[in-house]
Amino acid sequence: EDSRIALPIGTTLDRYIKKKQDEFQYATGELSQLLRDIALAGKVVNREINKAGLINIGGAIGTQNVQGEEQQKLDVLANIRFIRALTKGGEACAIISEEDEHFTDLKNDGKYVIAIDPLDGSSNIDVNVSIGTIFSVYRRVSPLGKPIEKEDIMQSGIEQVAAGYLLYGSSTMLVYTTGHGVNGFTYEPSLGEYFLSHPDMMIPEDGSIYSVNEGMYNSFPEPVKKYITHCHDQQYSARYIGSLVADFHRNLLKGGIYMYPPTEKNPDGKLRLMYECNALSFIVEQAGGMASTGTGRILEVAPQSLHQRVPLFIGSKRMVEKAVSFF
Ligand code: P6P
């Protein structure tokens, strides 16, 4: 008989993590501490995002990240904050970030490896659209010492021990899984606490919202064009914020599919496997949904490079199955 009682809405994140640790979900205290470290960094980034408009730090500073995109100042600040929090926390031994070409060796004996997009959708900062942080947690594979890229960093999504996102929106939320379901916490800035607001999140099995940049329709592969025509025939609602975490979160709550297909400009799609697609795919599968490259399960893709792109079809199981059926 499962003696575990469901924790009531309003439970703080700290109490929730402690309870789950006692239930041996996070048997090691290290994962609990790691989650707290990420949550703390999220509070700091949230504060800086909310100030961005006021002290005009949203403007680009003219430095390029590995993606060759204009780096928004908050990208840089978020990256520094998360790396600093994880370094001080001591539970992570290495980090791969969208903002850094190579992985960062934290030079400690932490047992976890983090893949992170510190601030996804940063081009939306200046127009006050919701943005997000996306993270994956892996166990290091090699014995102690300098982490080994091939073994410790380039792990398939199926190896994740935890994954989550922060959504800096009308309210700031932390949504994460450790492989035992998905839970959402809403941040109360006046108290500096996250409170359980969305216990045991499940994505509706079917839906009528599709998210894709139809401006690139002409360069999509035929199967994608066929599925989009299907969405039109079904008179689905087109909802595309241009901010992956915001689109994903809405679809998680209401049902829907998000697609970033191959295009002429990005033949493997635009989104990154290691620190965008794997995390959201772990979450959506834990919530009863599906995540595909179009021809295979995202979580089973064997990474070939740190900043590898993959096509992404993710959301309600029935919708992703239908989209994939055209391939
Ligand atoms: P496009 C933001 O740059 C991002 O990485 C995701 O957050 C978003 O869903 C996507 O790219 C938008 O890309 O090509 O449609 O502008």
Side-chain angles (χ1 to χ4, degrees):
E1 163 68 6
D2 184 347
S3 61
R4 288 175 294 175
I5 46 153
L7 285 166
I9 283 183
T11 298
T12 65
L13 174 66
D14 273 345
R15 205 172 116 64
Y16 183 88
I17 290 174
K18 177 80 182 69
K19 182 95 177 49
K20 291 304 171 187
Q21 180 180 323
D22 295 347
E23 289 169 3
F24 301 110
Q25 271 192 39
Y26 326 153
T28 65
E30 291 99 324
L31 181 58
S32 298
Q33 190 49 49
L34 181 64
L35 291 167
R36 288 192 189 96
D37 295 338
I38 291 170
L40 173 62
K43 293 180 185 178
V44 176
V45 171
N46 177 66
R47 188 186 59 200
E48 279 159 2
I49 286 171
N50 291 341
K51 281 186 320 197
L54 297 176
I55 52 181
N56 189 27
I57 62 172
I61 52 175
T63 52
Q64 301 287 316
N65 62 15
V66 286
Q67 330 300 341
E69 296 155 354
E70 279 295 300
Q71 233 172 340
Q72 299 285 336
K73 191 159 189 170
L74 273 177
D75 277 344
V76 176
L77 286 177
N79 197 38
I80 292 165
R81 292 294 184 187
F82 277 102
I83 290 181
R84 189 181 299 166
L86 290 165
T87 304
K88 279 201 301 203
E91 307 304 347
C93 64
I95 297 176
I96 168 63
S97 165
E98 173 166 48
E99 300 304 326
D100 300 314
E101 187 169 355
H102 304 293
F103 77 85
T104 303
D105 176 358
L106 299 184
K107 297 185 175 30
N108 63 28
D109 56 359
K111 63 198 281 194
Y112 294 106
V113 171
I114 308 291
I116 189 165
D117 184 352
L119 212 51
D120 178 77
S122 54
S123 55
N124 292 301
I125 293 170
D126 291 342
V127 296
N128 210 12
V129 163
S130 300
I131 48 183
T133 296
I134 308 169
F135 64 89
S136 287
V137 182
Y138 296 88
R139 254 187 219 87
R140 77 170 288 165
V141 176
S142 66
L144 293 186
K146 180 169 172 43
I148 300 165
E149 182 164 296
K150 229 33 214 127
E151 247 183 296
D152 296 314
I153 316 294
M154 308 268 277
Q155 299 189 48
S156 289
I158 199 85
E159 302 300 334
Q160 291 173 91
V161 292
Y165 59 82
L166 285 140
L167 175 58
Y168 311 100
S170 46
S171 66
T172 289
M173 281 193 71
L174 167 63
V175 175
Y176 77 87
T177 181
T178 59
H180 303 272
V182 180
N183 289 281
F185 297 79
T186 298
Y187 182 56
E188 175 41 69
S190 65
L191 300 174
E193 284 281 8
Y194 294 90
F195 293 95
L196 180 64
S197 52
H198 297 70
D200 299 320
M201 299 175 84
M202 294 301 282
I203 186 168
E205 195 175 19
D206 209 340
S208 56
I209 292 172
Y210 73 106
S211 309
V212 66
N213 185 341
E214 292 202 56
M216 293 186 274
Y217 178 86
N218 293 342
S219 83
F220 289 157
E222 275 315 306
V224 176
K225 290 182 178 175
K226 287 196 174 76
Y227 179 66
I228 291 174
T229 301
H230 169 76
C231 294
H232 295 163
D233 295 343
Q234 299 296 312
Q235 296 189 337
Y236 288 163
S237 293
R239 291 285 183 275
Y240 194 67
I241 301 170
S243 189
L244 172 59
V245 176
D247 276 316
F248 177 84
H249 184 72
R250 182 210 47 248
N251 292 349
L252 180 64
L253 291 175
K254 294 177 179 271
I257 183 170
Y258 172 99
M259 298 177 271
Y260 207 104
T263 64
E264 272 150 30
K265 183 180 167 204
N266 289 306
D268 291 323
K270 173 183 179 185
L271 301 176
R272 309 291 181 171
L273 175 65
M274 293 305 296
Y275 39 77
E276 289 168 336
C277 300
N278 271 336
L280 299 182
S281 299
F282 186 22
I283 292 167
V284 86
E285 287 196 3
Q286 283 289 312
M290 184 174 169
S292 172
T293 61
T295 54
R297 189 181 174 212
I298 290 276
L299 293 184
E300 290 175 3
V301 175
Q304 302 305 317
S305 66
L306 286 182
H307 300 282
Q308 168 179 351
R309 302 174 194 265
V310 287
L312 179 67
F313 300 81
I314 187 167
S316 295
K317 191 172 170 56
R318 294 278 164 268
M319 298 183 84
V320 177
E321 281 172 344
K322 183 69 181 171
V324 169
S325 72
F326 288 97
F327 278 78

